[in-house]
Amino acid sequence: TLYVNQGETVAITLLNLDERGQPHVLAIPSLGLKTPTLSKNGELATLTFVAKDPGVFEYNGRTVFDGRERHVHMEGRIVIRPK
């Protein structure tokens, strides 16, 4: 879980270190944020946003791994605490 305060600027970087070339995407659906698809080892993308509204927001990282679209180690929550 990532905790931030309302009004803060948040930057989350996804770095693809998958040597097999599996594509990866990081998304915060309820905030309408999503990285481009990273398909090469060493590629990175950063999601930057201002934590406007307090609440709990789920994020997920998607990849195709053994036929599944969502990798269990790439899910969590962002908690925006009110001022």
Side-chain angles (χ1 to χ4, degrees), residues 1-82:
T1 303
L2 174 66
Y3 294 92
V4 299
N5 296 313
Q6 185 179 13
E8 290 182 327
T9 298
V10 180
I12 303 170
T13 300
L14 174 65
L15 172 61
N16 185 353
L17 294 177
D18 192 321
E19 294 177 359
R20 298 162 296 177
Q22 299 287 336
H24 294 271
V25 174
L26 176 66
I28 310 169
S30 58
L31 297 180
L33 299 171
K34 179 177 163 183
T35 65
T37 300
L38 306 180
S39 57
K40 295 180 182 172
N41 186 323
E43 285 185 318
L44 61 87
T46 301
L47 292 179
T48 303
F49 63 96
V50 175
K52 288 194 242 178
D53 299 314
V56 178
F57 305 89
E58 291 187 7
Y59 67 83
N60 61 68
R62 295 179 187 267
T63 187
V64 177
F65 185 76
D66 289 339
R68 296 178 307 175
E69 273 195 17
R70 187 176 287 184
H71 193 277
V72 71
H73 298 293
M74 295 173 58
E75 295 178 325
R77 291 180 180 85
I78 298 169
V79 177
I80 300 176
R81 296 182 277 214

